[in-house]
Amino acid sequence: MTRPIGSAGRIGRSAVAVTAAAAAWAVTATGLTAAPAAAAPAAATTLKPGDSCTVADLGTRHPYIKTTEVTPTITHFKGWFVTEGTTGTQTVSTSTQTTIAVSVGLNGGADGKFGFDVLTSVGATLGLNVKVDFTSTSTESSALTWNFAQPGYYGAYKGTKKVTGTYGSLNCNRVQQGDGSWALKWIQGPGNGNFTTYTTLEEGVVRCQDKVPANSIMARAQFLLDCGAPTAKAAHPAGAVAPTAQQEQAQEQDRLAQTPALAGDTSAAQPKATGASTLAALNCEPGAYRIDVPGKVLNWSAPLLANDGIRLRESTFFSAHLDNWRLCNVTQNNGVIEASLWNWGNGGCATIPAGIANQEQAYLTTANCGEDDLQRFYVYRDVPGSPKVGLQNKYTGSMIGYDRYADGDLIRQYGSGKQDGTGTFAMTGV
């Protein structure tokens, strides 16, 4: 049975346009009370929508587990007869019953560090030791050595607990409270999806007459033993037993159940990304901004060369507007802005190259502006009066940051963002 962990929901794309940069950034504080100091964020496994976050969290995201289901699953199995005179240690060659692959999200892969964080949160939520590396159980036959002390009909097995469910994403953004003041809160952001993982493999043997815990791996193996079948009751030479009809049916059901979790993904329709964007007519806001490192001199500077990336640079007389960015085709939903970032200096839009978009720490560059979700970014804002923001790529879901504060360092994507605050920037009007 599926078990709800938290409320479901997601931020979808809105068609409500922000009509002016002033509306988008709302820098006036007239009539607003000062925002209360935000508490330190809780651990990733305990965060929930509505909890307080800090300015340093604007460039981060965390998973929260919405539903889970734990199913005992047999990966390898063989029916085995032990007769008088054949007891003792024997090696049984089991055949593959089913395989389980660890997957997170639509692509079924690691999804950067965020995928690892999802699986870590699953383990903490359930109190289970689950696989967090992206592996699968063996598809090869497997030998099991066991000391059979008594004659009888045995099921030799290897098995695990298959863990599936759904997750959501929490992002830090400003929220207006009932008294009109503003505060930073964790909100439900984009990034809903499904996961599949499994616990440590166990092996053993079970007989029809054994009393076993309900809903256990051993109980599942006993079910596969098909104790009511004629084969189980008939005299039989020692050794392997051909699969019964029930075992074959169960194996087929398990095989069908291995359809990747992404087939039932709860996300919105998968955004599109194209390798070569077509030029799009942009509706840009009138203002231009530098994307600064708060309190420091370096900011985003677009490349002059097509094979280079967006880097941290100091603005000078020779910057040639490569450090100036405009928000284009702006929409807003639940207080979160979605926009393309058009560069005044080279006329391109910020993007993640399609060929490396699935990689953690892929760098940002600019390309011809087009209808491409790799060029769309969610903007999470601090309370009004502060220019600080966090940025997230719409297609990959990764947050934007940099590895170290240094002239020439590339701007990159990070699955869960930079927990040291280096994913928080300032949008400074120019």
Side-chain angles (χ1 to χ4, degrees), residues 277 339-341 349-351 367-370 372-377 393:
S277 302
S340 298
L341 302 176
C349 284
T351 188
N368 290 337
C369 299
D372 190 337
D373 285 326
L374 281 169
Q375 297 182 5
R376 300 291 286 173
F377 293 85
N393 185 264

Side-chain angles (χ1 to χ4, degrees), residues 72-74 77 96-99 220-226 243-258:
T73 303
I74 302 302
F77 184 85
T96 301
Q97 175 73 21
T98 188
T99 60
R220 178 63 182 171
Q222 194 177 59
F223 169 79
L224 290 180
L225 195 54
D226 197 5
T244 67
Q246 175 174 300
Q247 290 166 5
E248 290 178 337
Q249 182 181 20
Q251 185 171 4
E252 177 64 13
Q253 290 173 344
D254 284 342
R255 186 190 66 79
L256 293 175
Q258 295 312 303

Side-chain angles (χ1 to χ4, degrees), residues 63 65 104 111 113-123 167-168 195:
I65 305 306
V104 176
D111 194 20
K113 184 178 181 297
F114 187 72
F116 175 86
D117 290 344
V118 168
L119 298 176
T120 300
S121 296
V122 171
Y167 65 87
F195 63 83

